[in-house]
Amino acid sequence: MRTQPGQTDPAVIRNFCIIAHIDHGKSTLADRMLQITGVVEERAMRAQYLDRMDIERERGITIKSQAVRLPWDGHVLNMIDTPGHVDFTYEVSRSLQACEGAVLLVDAAQGIEAQTLANLYLAMNADLHIIPVLNKIDLPAAQPEKFAEELAGLIGCDPSDVLKVSGKTGEGVRELLDHVVATVPAPVGVADAAARALIFDSVYDTYRGVVTYVRVIDGHLSKRERILMMSTAATHETLEIGVISPEPKPADLGLGVGEVGYLITGVKDVRQSRVGDTVTSSVKPAKEMLAGYEHPKPMVFSGLYPIDGDEYPELREALDKLQLNDAALVYEPETSAALGFGFRVGFLGLLHMEIVRERLEREFGLSLISTAPNVVYRVVMEDEKELTVTNPSEFPTGGKIAQVFEPVTKSTILAPSEFIGAIMEICQGRRGQLLGMDYLSEDRVEIRYTLPLGEIIFDFFDQLKSRTRGYASLDYEPAGEQESELVKVDILLQGEAVDAFSAIVHKDKAYGYGVDMAKKLRELIPRQQFEVPIQAAIGARVIARENIRAIRKDVLAKCYGGDISRKRKLLEKQKEGKKRMKMVGRVEVPQEAFVAALSTDSSGDKTKK
């Protein structure tokens, strides 16, 4: 294979990523690799070096994949640190497409967990060479021999093939890098062919515009070259092309076969650099696009509204910019009678929703209200008309509903075997159906359930963690839909429905939701001059009611003694006035009540897994 003079020979390139369950030490191991290979000076080193966002550093989780080029023993290693949380599986799947190998990392004190399995299957489907590694062997609670056997049984190798490292102390990291060089295959591509590079990520830079991360499959990309984005047919000029090591370094010779790097075209429009697109030369374009990615489907929908209505244009701009950094984000404008103008936003899960909202508030200075999260329902009417419902306000009220379908998930729960009873009890209570159960070892079990997505998105994970003393781990993936008995619960204030408080729930849980919401609103809404009834209703049938008592002026204060009939007359007069006031008065729900009622309902759950 011929390469251009000065170009990196593909034979010395190794592309690999680190995959693991959340909190198994991926970022710490990446830190040690940066130190040992010398790409980061000791004085510049800090923990979680590749986690660039404040939220990532505070929470100790990785949200964005980060690619970095490391020199090692005459070879060039392109390493990608990936997220571990189930909501960011899409980030992981994109990173796998840019690699030939994957380091499967398992905590030597906790063992294999749900997301370990999910990421392993992703890597196997992408046909990557897998290197099993046990991390945190320096911990007193570490059981490397036990978990090496578990891991070997899972992958189908010998327990002695499982590498043992400590990302914290650096023990075994050099051997791991040598192992990557020895076992991960070199990238294969045609150097003389038309250039083809896969966009696996992109970020928005305020000063430089869109920074596109690519993996070159065939040919060569160079600076000051006209390039073509094959799916959008847009052409641009590469102003800068280079590698990340770990800060961006321009490469004057460009990027060749197998290399991972970035390119900047000065484009400011976020839609012109789509993740999964193929970059080629506009002078000598490639004939076929690369396979790209299957676009992720949003699992959870929630309304995002600015507290100050004037911030609506800023929210639109912020979502536009965030969508480039987060290819899985989808949104469309919507209006609410109670909350004004906002957006219906689709997320991959609850943590994804929480992170997006926090980034909008921090990075763009917005104050937001988010409505309770919802999933997508399919409603079939008796006249065979079909509706897709992402918002309770879209749920049909007139006409007869024949069937309602809700999304279901195939959920995998890993936990110590002593908690089997507690886990089954929670899952049965959430309308779960047992698919199967396997023992990974004497005391660890894998339980598989079909669970409705609507039951998972509230506090399911909270309940699971508390009932298993924090030992259980959960992973879920979409598994089609099922017919269910779902109803829309409306919350009425003085007979008028408030759309922001409506919810679609299973009929067995409708009464509980109605009672809880009515009680909550009775405490949050200030008293008016007249009595206000709060009702929860399914269609025309009221299922729960609370009253907010009227503020009453003491009309008897001026009566000192005297006949009782005079007092009665004054009270009757006041009663008539209250009745008239109730007929014309409208209940003003303060913004704080919306924030309190909705935030405790939706993002009040602890969603970190």
Side-chain angles (χ1 to χ4, degrees):
M1 189 188 296
R2 294 200 315 275
T3 56
Q4 300 211 359
Q7 194 73 50
T8 309
D9 181 359
V12 300
I13 296 175
R14 300 289 183 271
N15 298 322
F16 73 100
C17 59
I18 306 175
I19 55 174
H21 187 84
I22 192 166
D23 202 28
H24 277 212
K26 293 177 298 300
S27 298
T28 310
L29 180 62
D31 286 348
R32 292 298 78 74
M33 288 181 174
L34 295 178
Q35 266 184 313
I36 288 169
T37 54
V39 293
V40 179
E41 294 176 20
E42 285 293 334
R43 60 192 176 86
M45 193 63 203
R46 62 172 194 270
Q48 289 176 263
Y49 190 90
L50 294 177
D51 290 346
R52 302 300 166 92
M53 284 185 263
D54 289 344
I55 301 174
E56 290 181 311
R57 306 183 68 74
E58 283 170 22
R59 289 173 175 244
I61 58 173
T62 301
I63 294 164
K64 287 289 291 177
S65 300
Q66 296 289 347
V68 62
R69 183 184 175 111
L70 311 168
W72 184 252
D73 194 23
H75 288 75
V76 171
L77 309 182
N78 288 310
M79 183 264 291
I80 303 178
D81 179 23
T82 65
H85 193 279
V86 58
D87 284 8
F88 302 112
T89 302
Y90 180 55
E91 286 274 331
V92 180
S93 68
R94 296 205 319 258
S95 304
L96 295 174
Q97 297 287 336
C99 301
E100 280 78 35
V103 171
L104 179 70
L105 205 62
V106 171
D107 186 325
Q110 293 181 342
I112 295 165
E113 298 200 55
Q115 200 60 27
T116 315
L117 292 177
N119 286 338
L120 171 63
Y121 298 148
L122 280 175
M124 283 176 163
N125 290 341
D127 205 20
L128 300 193
H129 173 75
I130 292 155
I131 301 172
V133 179
L134 280 177
N135 189 24
K136 305 190 186 180
I137 57 166
D138 56 306
L139 290 179
Q143 296 173 278
E145 304 313 319
K146 176 188 171 186
F147 293 127
E149 276 188 38
E150 239 179 67
L151 198 48
L154 190 65
I155 293 172
C157 65
D158 198 80
S160 60
D161 296 337
V162 178
L163 300 180
K164 298 175 179 70
V165 305
S166 167
K168 192 173 183 181
T169 64
E171 184 185 341
V173 177
R174 289 174 184 278
E175 291 79 0
L176 172 58
L177 291 170
D178 290 336
H179 196 74
V180 167
V181 168
T183 61
V184 173
V188 179
V190 185
D192 301 335
R196 288 199 305 170
L198 180 72
I199 299 177
F200 68 89
D201 206 357
S202 47
V203 293
Y204 186 82
D205 185 294
T206 314
Y207 304 104
R208 314 188 76 181
V210 179
V211 180
T212 306
Y213 295 108
V214 294
R215 153 75 197 269
V216 181
I217 307 295
D218 295 322
H220 179 267
L221 289 174
S222 51
K223 191 178 172 185
R224 293 291 174 192
E225 177 184 9
R226 294 297 296 177
I227 56 168
L228 170 73
M229 304 289 187
M230 290 183 78
S231 71
T232 57
T235 59
H236 311 290
E237 185 182 358
T238 51
L239 304 178
E240 184 177 311
I241 191 164
V243 295
I244 297 132
S245 182
E247 304 305 323
K249 285 186 182 172
D252 295 332
L253 294 166
L255 298 174
V257 171
E259 291 203 80
V260 174
Y262 70 93
L263 51 95
I264 296 171
T265 57
V267 172
K268 295 283 185 189
D269 184 2
V270 296
R271 286 172 289 274
Q272 292 204 6
S273 186
R274 275 194 37 237
V275 167
D277 200 354
T278 304
V279 180
T280 186
S281 165
S282 66
V283 181
K284 185 189 168 187
K287 289 183 173 61
E288 279 188 25
M289 285 179 66
L290 295 164
Y293 310 106
E294 185 182 327
H295 202 72
K297 293 180 178 69
M299 303 272 275
V300 175
F301 284 83
S302 174
L304 280 182
Y305 295 87
I307 286 179
D308 179 359
D310 294 341
E311 287 185 347
Y312 177 74
E314 285 93 324
L315 177 57
R316 179 191 288 276
E317 195 179 323
L319 282 167
D320 262 351
K321 287 179 179 171
L322 205 56
Q323 193 176 37
L324 181 74
N325 283 7
D326 188 345
L329 190 68
V330 293
Y331 62 91
E332 57 182 40
E334 76 165 2
T335 56
S336 156
L339 302 172
F341 290 100
F343 291 92
R344 191 95 198 137
V345 188
F347 305 97
L348 297 181
L350 273 194
L351 181 72
H352 187 212
M353 171 180 150
E354 204 179 306
I355 295 294
V356 166
R357 180 179 164 172
E358 203 165 325
R359 286 187 69 184
L360 287 169
E361 290 182 340
R362 283 187 186 205
E363 294 172 28
F364 302 96
L366 298 166
S367 299
L368 303 171
I369 296 175
S370 60
T371 61
N374 266 298
V375 298
V376 187
Y377 301 101
R378 186 166 65 88
V379 181
V380 180
M381 309 298 284
E382 281 188 352
D383 58 3
E384 295 187 0
K385 188 177 162 191
E386 279 197 15
L387 302 169
T388 301
V389 176
T390 61
N391 188 342
S393 62
E394 296 168 1
F395 200 80
T397 46
K400 296 276 196 232
I401 296 171
Q403 294 167 297
V404 183
F405 293 91
E406 64 174 345
V408 291
T409 64
K410 183 183 168 192
S411 302
T412 306
I413 299 164
L414 267 72
S417 50
E418 62 186 278
F419 298 114
I420 292 174
I423 292 167
M424 285 184 157
E425 192 183 324
I426 295 169
C427 293
Q428 302 297 110
R430 301 297 178 117
R431 300 187 283 128
Q433 291 178 321
L434 184 66
L435 293 174
M437 186 163 70
D438 289 316
Y439 280 84
L440 297 178
S441 62
E442 290 174 20
D443 58 348
R444 283 178 71 74
V445 67
E446 175 190 332
I447 305 173
R448 294 178 301 282
Y449 263 95
T450 300
L451 280 163
L453 181 60
E455 296 286 349
I456 290 179
I457 63 169
F458 281 101
D459 59 348
F460 177 75
F461 192 71
D462 260 12
Q463 293 286 325
L464 189 64
K465 278 290 190 193
S466 63
R467 295 287 288 278
T468 61
R469 298 207 300 273
Y471 283 111
S473 61
L474 168 75
D475 178 54
Y476 58 87
E477 60 184 52
E481 60 180 17
Q482 69 180 19
E483 187 181 348
S484 295
E485 294 183 327
L486 300 170
V487 292
K488 177 188 174 187
V489 179
D490 279 315
I491 302 296
L492 312 173
L493 289 181
Q494 212 180 320
E496 280 187 33
V498 182
D499 61 347
F501 297 133
S502 300
I504 298 167
V505 294
H506 191 266
K507 73 177 181 54
D508 294 346
K509 299 192 175 180
Y511 176 72
Y513 175 82
V515 169
D516 289 349
M517 202 48 142
K519 279 182 181 167
K520 201 182 289 179
L521 289 175
R522 190 188 70 184
E523 292 164 14
L524 292 169
I525 296 173
R527 288 167 68 185
Q528 316 281 321
Q529 290 282 348
F530 48 89
E531 187 178 56
V532 177
I534 302 169
Q535 295 165 308
I538 300 171
R541 186 164 59 91
V542 174
I543 56 170
R545 174 178 173 137
E546 293 282 346
N547 286 339
I548 301 174
R549 289 177 49 227
I551 300 173
R552 294 184 57 178
K553 181 181 170 188
D554 188 359
V555 289
L556 304 183
K558 56 188 175 184
C559 294
Y560 296 104
D563 186 23
I564 187 71
S565 60
R566 186 166 171 232
K567 291 181 182 175
R568 280 214 189 102
K569 201 165 151 189
L570 286 169
L571 289 170
E572 285 298 320
K573 195 174 174 187
Q574 184 185 36
K575 199 172 169 184
E576 285 297 316
K578 294 282 181 198
K579 202 181 286 180
R580 278 203 308 276
M581 198 181 275
K582 190 171 183 175
M583 285 165 66
V584 297
R586 289 193 66 239
V587 183
E588 292 298 323
V589 183
Q591 207 77 33
E592 299 77 49
F594 279 113
V595 176
L598 294 173
S599 62
T600 48
D601 219 57
S602 57
S603 55
D605 299 330
K606 306 287 181 291
T607 51
K608 184 177 168 181
K609 301 181 187 144

